[in-house]
Amino acid sequence: MNPVVTNPVVALTIAGSDSGGGAGIQADLKTFAAHRVFGTSVITALTAQNTTGVKGISVVDPGFVGAQLDAVLADLPVAAVKTGMLATPETVALVAGYAPRLPGLVVDPVLVASSGDRLFTRDAERAYLDLLFPHAAVVTPNLREASVLLGRDVLDVDDAIKAAEDLAATGARCVVVKGGHLRGSRDAVDVVCAGGTVELLSAPWVDTANNHGTGCTLAAATAARLALGQPVAEALAGAKEYVHAALVASSGWRLGTGHGPLAWGPFERPLT
């Protein structure tokens, strides 16, 4: 008697490659694997980077980004999708055109480098707001990205709440403003706005320099959990717990001389 074979669920990441392995495609695929989700990928840019920063970027032609999307979607049953660095306004628009075929779409709008420098022109920001966000199940800007998207400072919890509400007006079904170490808070606080309701997701602050890829990991963990069939609220709570565990697990690492990467599961507690 042949054993029953159960295929893994499939998730897709559309993002840039991080040669240092801490963020981007590499972080996403590790996070998918930790959730026992089969990861597929569409690469939008190559970066030369390490723990100290980005040294160079080579953008993939949008036409070839589309070719990668066509190849994956034609053959594999993608159950959820996470976007990261989309590199150009044209690629943002391209991905938005595929959005009806991208279930469980988690948009991490990578607009600002960790140095604070903007990576794109205002055209890219408008493309996110007008074209891609309306299709998103979840949008996960950090404080700097929310500031750039809205054209105003987002510094504390009250700012983040208003930012989440305003970004939800784009049509995104759920907006998570990733607070990290928000001014006035001792915890790592994310503000979640969904269905007109605002909630705070908090976890104890982990004092570590190994935080490169935190945002990518949160978005990828959310997409993995959506692929597994969890509702959005449950997926976000689980992703937050996963990132906290990853920060704790890697807090003592000494990989590189800058901001090191996160660990990846399974951790002490099994995934639920």
Side-chain angles (χ1 to χ4, degrees):
M1 184 174 179
N2 292 328
V4 176
V5 176
T6 302
N7 289 329
V9 298
V10 178
L12 167 64
T13 170
I14 309 170
S17 169
D18 175 358
S19 56
I25 289 283
Q26 286 81 355
D28 296 344
L29 292 177
K30 284 185 287 189
T31 302
F32 290 167
H35 284 77
R36 301 176 181 87
V37 170
F38 182 79
T40 59
S41 61
V42 168
I43 298 177
T44 60
L46 305 176
T47 69
Q49 65 175 295
N50 54 29
T51 65
T52 66
V54 178
K55 314 303 179 183
I57 299 174
S58 179
V59 173
V60 175
D61 181 80
F64 194 70
V65 173
Q68 295 175 76
L69 278 164
D70 289 337
V72 173
L73 296 174
D75 187 50
L76 292 157
V78 173
V81 180
K82 178 258 181 182
T83 72
M85 179 183 179
L86 296 182
T88 68
E90 292 77 16
T91 298
V92 177
L94 174 84
V95 173
Y98 279 83
R101 301 168 59 191
L102 304 178
L105 179 59
V106 179
V107 177
D108 188 19
V110 180
L111 294 166
V112 184
S114 57
S115 63
D117 295 329
R118 291 193 187 191
L119 296 173
F120 308 113
T121 66
R122 190 67 189 170
D123 291 341
E125 294 146 25
R126 292 309 323 168
Y128 271 109
L129 291 169
D130 297 341
L131 301 178
L132 194 53
F133 283 13
H135 297 286
V138 184
V139 174
T140 63
N142 61 27
L143 295 179
R144 285 172 172 162
E145 288 154 356
S147 297
V148 168
L149 287 163
L150 294 169
R152 65 175 189 262
D153 289 338
V154 180
L155 301 172
D156 56 23
V157 173
D158 289 339
D159 292 341
I161 290 172
K162 186 63 169 65
E165 292 173 334
D166 289 348
L167 290 173
T170 63
R173 295 191 291 282
C174 178
V175 175
V176 183
V177 177
K178 298 174 294 192
H181 213 176
L182 277 167
R183 191 170 66 185
S185 173
R186 293 183 178 181
D187 292 334
V189 179
D190 299 329
V191 173
V192 181
C193 179
T197 300
V198 174
E199 296 182 1
L200 303 184
L201 283 180
S202 298
W205 180 256
V206 180
D207 188 14
T208 177
N210 295 327
N211 53 18
H212 180 51
T214 304
C216 299
T217 301
L218 179 72
T222 301
R225 289 166 179 271
L226 292 177
L228 290 167
Q230 294 184 3
V232 169
E234 184 180 342
L236 286 171
K240 179 77 171 180
E241 182 179 353
Y242 177 85
V243 169
H244 176 73
L247 285 165
V248 171
S250 61
S251 60
W253 288 4
R254 295 294 181 268
L255 289 178
T257 58
H259 288 277
L262 278 65
W264 61 96
F267 303 108
E268 222 174 276
R269 291 184 59 188
L271 293 171
T272 56

